[in-house]
Amino acid sequence: MDHPDNWISNTGRPIGGPTVVLDLDGVISDAAHRQHYLEAEASKDKDWTGFFHACVDDSVIAHGRALAASVSPAVCLVILTARIDDIRDATISWLTTNNIRHDWLILRGPRQGAPSTTWKAGQLELLRAAGAEIQLCADDDPRNVEMMRGLGIPTLYIPSGYYGDRASESVEYR
Ligand SMILES: [Mg+2]
């Protein structure tokens, strides 16, 4: 079965059956050192390019890597991140270098510029349409957690501290 070009297989395992979906930044990858690129109030004033490209310097969040490693081999593990296509290769390299268990990586394709929560909701619907039975999600953005639970998916909220200082109604792209 053909999948969208922004779905990147790591193990050759097909999409479908029991599936766990984990976020990357703030759950497995420590993006704290690059939050300063987003200090500006308005989205148009934030340095999104600087923020995303600094991902190569992220360290591993040990408990996030352990969470991924703890997922049964019988379960398809998808990493779903709102990272942009420009850092696709850097992200693949980081996951490999740091030995992060995953079967699939899903990040934004070109021109997929919707806010993070909207974009992730669309990807989850596509996963389900492709046969994935999503049993669990984990994310550090409270808006994503709310959305995922709204889709009927049990979801772990993993606080990263990246979102605590902003109004809940503000648009979020990461
Ligand atoms: Mg995150």
Side-chain angles (χ1 to χ4, degrees):
M1 181 177 179
D2 286 342
H3 298 305
D5 289 342
N6 62 306
W7 294 14
I8 303 151
S9 174
N10 182 46
T11 59
R13 182 197 193 103
I15 293 281
T19 301
V20 166
V21 178
L22 302 180
D23 182 26
L24 181 56
D25 292 333
V27 174
I28 298 170
S29 184
D30 187 351
H33 70 99
R34 50 190 170 99
Q35 297 303 310
H36 68 90
Y37 288 105
L38 307 181
E39 282 174 352
E41 196 68 29
S43 180
K44 66 176 175 52
D45 297 329
K46 296 180 191 291
D47 181 0
W48 290 103
T49 302
F51 171 75
F52 281 118
H53 283 267
C55 72
V56 294
D57 294 324
D58 287 8
S59 56
V60 173
I61 298 174
H63 64 245
R65 178 164 59 188
L67 175 63
S70 76
V71 174
S72 166
V75 173
C76 184
L77 177 51
V78 177
I79 293 179
L80 176 62
T81 173
R83 288 187 182 190
I84 58 176
D85 185 63
D86 287 3
I87 54 171
R88 172 183 175 126
D89 290 347
T91 299
I92 293 169
S93 173
W94 189 93
L95 290 168
T96 302
T97 300
N98 290 294
N99 196 26
I100 307 298
R101 146 115 166 86
H102 66 292
D103 295 299
W104 289 82
L105 166 67
I106 298 179
L107 43 60
R108 293 178 193 265
R111 295 173 299 283
Q112 294 184 358
S116 170
T117 302
T118 307
W119 179 81
K120 284 194 172 185
Q123 298 299 308
L124 291 170
E125 297 289 9
L126 288 173
L127 278 170
R128 282 177 157 173
E133 301 159 14
I134 305 173
Q135 299 181 329
L136 183 75
C137 286
D139 205 287
D140 69 316
D141 183 337
R143 282 156 292 200
N144 290 341
V145 171
E146 185 179 353
M147 173 274 291
M148 289 157 171
R149 289 175 178 166
L151 294 176
I153 304 167
T155 301
L156 298 173
Y157 170 51
I158 301 189
S160 63
Y162 304 164
Y163 299 94
D165 60 343
R166 289 208 299 285
S168 62
E169 66 272 18
S170 65
V171 177
E172 184 56 63
Y173 293 92
R174 63 187 148 157

